[in-house]
Amino acid sequence: MDTTTAARTGARQSIVSLLLALTVLELFTVISISGQDLANNLIFLLRAQSNGYVVLLLLLLFTVTFFLGRQAGKDILLKGKHPVATGIKYALITGGVAWVYLLVIISILHLPEAVWNSILQAQTMLTLAIVIAWVFTARKIKATA
């Protein structure tokens, strides 16, 4: 297998896995907020997801995941590195980028403390989804070998 094919495989698998993980996370969020007033909760969720800061975070996550996925493909398929360890390594990098982005946005916006708990809970769930996506990605990359 050549470098280009390994990089392409890693990028494709990582983007698909991140998209799947974020979709499951969104479905989990919809189910968890569906209480007495589902319509208003869905409108609130859609408004929150279309926020410019959230869109920028998603763009940043997919960009980072694409480039790290290319490297993960090379690491696993060409260098023979352990897939789970590679997945955890890139999950920590991607999660770290997401947390740094959150800290920068919080420092810029000066959000009230009442909002912090929900933001930290959402960020923790996002980090968990990223870790699951990367471990899944690494195993899928290895399976293509």
Side-chain angles (χ1 to χ4, degrees):
M1 178 173 290
D2 63 340
T3 305
T4 306
T5 306
R8 189 179 311 126
T9 301
R12 184 178 60 246
Q13 292 295 337
S14 64
I15 292 295
V16 168
S17 295
L18 181 64
L19 185 61
L20 179 65
L22 291 178
T23 302
V24 169
L25 182 62
E26 289 296 320
L27 288 173
F28 178 74
T29 303
V30 167
I31 291 170
S32 69
I33 67 168
S34 63
Q36 298 171 350
D37 195 3
L38 178 62
N40 280 337
N41 288 338
L42 285 176
I43 291 170
F44 176 74
L45 179 67
L46 289 175
R47 185 178 302 142
Q49 294 300 320
S50 63
N51 181 345
Y53 297 110
V54 174
V55 172
L56 185 61
L57 173 64
L58 292 175
L59 181 64
L60 179 68
L61 283 178
F62 278 103
T63 303
V64 167
T65 300
F66 174 78
F67 288 112
L68 291 178
R70 291 177 57 86
Q71 187 61 43
K74 293 175 194 174
D75 287 351
I76 294 169
L77 295 174
L78 299 178
K79 297 178 183 175
K81 293 189 177 179
H82 193 270
V84 175
T86 303
I88 290 173
K89 177 176 89 171
Y90 290 122
L92 292 174
I93 294 170
T94 308
V97 167
W99 279 98
V100 167
Y101 175 81
L102 175 71
L103 293 174
V104 168
I105 294 303
I106 285 177
S107 67
I108 290 172
L109 294 181
H110 302 292
L111 296 171
E113 291 219 16
V115 180
W116 282 51
N117 283 338
S118 61
I119 290 175
L120 290 177
Q121 182 182 15
Q123 187 73 11
T124 303
M125 294 299 291
L126 176 64
T127 304
L128 180 63
I130 289 170
V131 169
I132 291 170
W134 269 109
V135 171
F136 182 74
T137 295
R139 296 191 69 188
K140 289 291 283 184
I141 291 171
K142 181 67 176 175
T144 62

